[in-house]
Amino acid sequence: MTVLQAATLIVLPVTAVAQTAPAPAPAPAPTTTAAAVAPAAPQPAAAAGYLLGPDDEVKIAVFGQPDLSTTTRVKADGTILLALIGPIQANGKSTTQLSQDIAAGYASGGYLTKPSVSVEVSNYVSRFVTVLGNVPQAGNYPLDRPYTVASMLAKAGGSTKDGANAVILTPAEGGAPIRISLADMSAGANRPLKPGDTLFVPQAEKIYVYGQVQQPGAFSFAPGQSFRQALALAGGPTLAGSTKRIKVRRGGKEIQANLDDPVQPEDVLIIREKLF
């Protein structure tokens, strides 16, 4: 009986396999798909950082091999030249991708077994955005990660007290400059930047308050500002000033307005004397 039971146990799996023989056909497909997708998963993360280009300077360190470690520039054709393995394409690659390619080159050439390679950018040249105008730290900033208009301006220190709450973007690919309000993130402040883009922060637009006020002069314009708020910037009216007798000049012409109306750039508010 023991032999018969054992034989039954052996037969049953075979039968099960025979009955399900057509089913294994699609089974390899998910495995193959998973294998194809798995290597692609790291790519977006690698591509999210700074991508190398001509004239970028990179520092390459090969662990345990000081003679193979070097600092070099990406050539005009997009390659770097390394000892033993020769030219390696660097253009358009992240430092992680380049370090993997260098390690593979030394391993496949039989020079090193499981080499450990690190790559750092020591001088950003090819991919940058220029920030100019009324910012504390104007200059060229590398696109070492994804930047928007707002985040790049923040990196440059933001707009100065004399700068406008807006920025003018000149796209690298050409086209007319675009004025972007920093007060409205949906209007372009979240726009991603590309290599070669230029940001310029102009001087703040002004409004002017004169007449019977405590501190007459020019003040920075802010979107949504009212004449009442502009008057407050000038310290309010003097004892002789009347908030009911205001005069507004816009574009060289006098217009009808009250204190709760919104101001426009270059408006002139004049507070007149009370009538006794």
Side-chain angles (χ1 to χ4, degrees):
M1 291 298 294
T2 305
V3 174
L4 290 174
Q5 290 173 348
T8 303
L9 292 175
I10 294 172
V11 169
L12 287 176
V14 172
T15 305
V17 172
Q19 290 173 345
T20 57
T31 304
T32 305
T33 303
V37 173
Q43 295 304 319
Y50 184 85
L51 301 181
L52 295 166
D55 292 327
D56 282 335
E57 185 180 79
V58 291
K59 183 178 180 180
I60 301 169
V62 183
F63 182 74
Q65 301 292 331
D67 291 342
L68 298 179
S69 301
T70 185
T71 298
T72 185
R73 285 189 179 275
V74 180
K75 297 167 62 178
D77 62 359
T79 65
I80 56 173
L81 189 62
L82 299 178
L84 302 178
I85 57 176
I88 294 285
Q89 185 63 231
N91 187 48
K93 295 180 180 178
S94 67
T95 54
T96 300
Q97 292 170 321
L98 181 58
S99 64
Q100 293 171 349
D101 290 349
I102 294 173
Y106 282 122
S108 63
Y111 301 107
L112 297 172
T113 303
K114 295 183 179 179
S116 177
V117 179
S118 69
V119 177
E120 296 180 359
V121 182
S122 52
N123 192 7
Y124 298 91
V125 177
S126 68
R127 300 176 188 272
F128 60 87
V129 168
T130 302
V131 184
L132 301 171
N134 290 272
V135 293
Q137 301 170 7
N140 293 331
Y141 288 87
L143 290 175
D144 51 353
R145 63 179 180 82
Y147 281 96
T148 63
V149 170
S151 61
M152 181 57 76
L153 186 61
K155 190 176 180 68
S159 178
T160 64
K161 64 182 182 65
D162 296 324
N165 194 29
V167 61
I168 298 173
L169 166 65
T170 303
E173 63 268 19
I178 305 167
R179 186 181 181 90
I180 297 173
S181 171
L182 298 174
D184 187 358
M185 297 299 287
S186 64
N190 273 332
R191 173 174 172 151
L193 292 172
K194 298 179 180 179
D197 285 350
T198 299
L199 298 178
F200 176 77
V201 178
Q203 192 170 20
E205 296 168 310
K206 300 292 184 182
I207 54 173
Y208 304 89
V209 185
Y210 296 123
Q212 296 297 323
V213 294
Q214 302 290 343
Q215 300 173 350
F219 304 92
S220 295
F221 165 80
Q225 192 175 41
S226 68
F227 286 107
R228 191 180 301 276
Q229 291 170 319
L231 177 58
L233 292 175
T238 63
L239 292 176
S242 171
T243 56
K244 295 181 180 180
R245 302 189 69 245
I246 69 171
K247 183 167 68 172
V248 176
R249 294 189 64 82
R250 177 176 295 165
K253 299 179 180 180
E254 187 171 336
I255 65 169
Q256 296 293 325
N258 61 59
L259 288 177
D260 292 319
D261 288 340
V263 299
Q264 293 186 12
E266 305 304 316
D267 276 354
V268 180
L269 170 62
I270 301 173
I271 303 298
R272 293 184 283 194
E273 287 185 300
K274 293 178 181 178
L275 293 175
F276 296 98

